[in-house]
Amino acid sequence: MSDTDALLFANEVFYRAFADRNMKAMAEIWAPDAPCTCLHPGWPPLEGREEILESWQAIFNGPSPPPIQYLAAKGFVTGKTGIVLCYEKIGEDYLIASNGFIRHGSVWLLLHHQSGPVEGPPEENPAPQTPEAMN
């Protein structure tokens, strides 16, 4: 598996944890010893793994946790860091997201997530990638 393939797989693991509302998996994908940051749409910036995981728990426990799909993922690797740019589809809304990863041994771990509004799906409009597609 190439570095980029492994990076894109880590991105899929992140979205599977999100879609499944799986806090254990969400905690496992975030880097334990790196400065982590997260920018949820409409939220103030979050810094630190603990604060970020608390935010995911709040989202998962909310009155109607959103279903999520991601599409058009593109990975970029340089040394021990990687970035994935992708679109998120939540209900009928689209967001653009950037996910930053750091290589921890042979595994890519998340250290940054940011998503925000975008007008619509990507131009190419590929089929949404769902966590089920990972199987």
Side-chain angles (χ1 to χ4, degrees):
M1 178 181 291
S2 74
D3 282 345
T4 302
D5 289 340
L7 175 66
L8 291 170
F9 178 77
N11 194 65
E12 289 180 16
V13 170
F14 166 65
Y15 283 104
R16 173 176 268 185
F18 188 168
D20 292 347
R21 295 159 185 76
N22 183 332
M23 270 313 295
K24 182 178 183 218
M26 184 61 75
E28 289 174 357
I29 194 65
W30 282 90
D33 54 2
C36 297
T37 55
C38 184
L39 298 167
H40 295 299
W43 290 45
L46 303 173
E47 297 178 21
R49 188 173 186 276
E50 185 175 323
E51 185 176 28
I52 292 165
L53 292 177
E54 287 173 3
S55 76
W56 286 109
Q57 188 68 66
I59 290 168
F60 294 167
N61 291 342
S64 57
I68 182 131
Q69 297 175 315
Y70 74 98
L71 18 82
K74 293 182 183 177
F76 305 89
V77 174
T78 181
K80 292 186 174 192
T81 59
I83 297 172
V84 176
L85 301 178
C86 63
Y87 285 76
E88 297 175 346
K89 185 173 189 239
I90 300 178
E92 297 303 313
D93 297 321
Y94 288 90
L95 303 172
I96 188 76
S98 60
N99 298 314
F101 293 83
I102 187 167
R103 190 178 333 206
H104 196 283
S106 62
V107 178
W108 289 100
L109 296 175
L110 197 59
L111 58 85
H112 176 76
H113 169 71
Q114 177 176 356
S115 63
V118 68
E119 287 186 19
E123 271 186 39
E124 299 165 359
N125 199 16
Q129 295 165 310
T130 61
E132 293 75 30
M134 291 179 4
N135 295 331

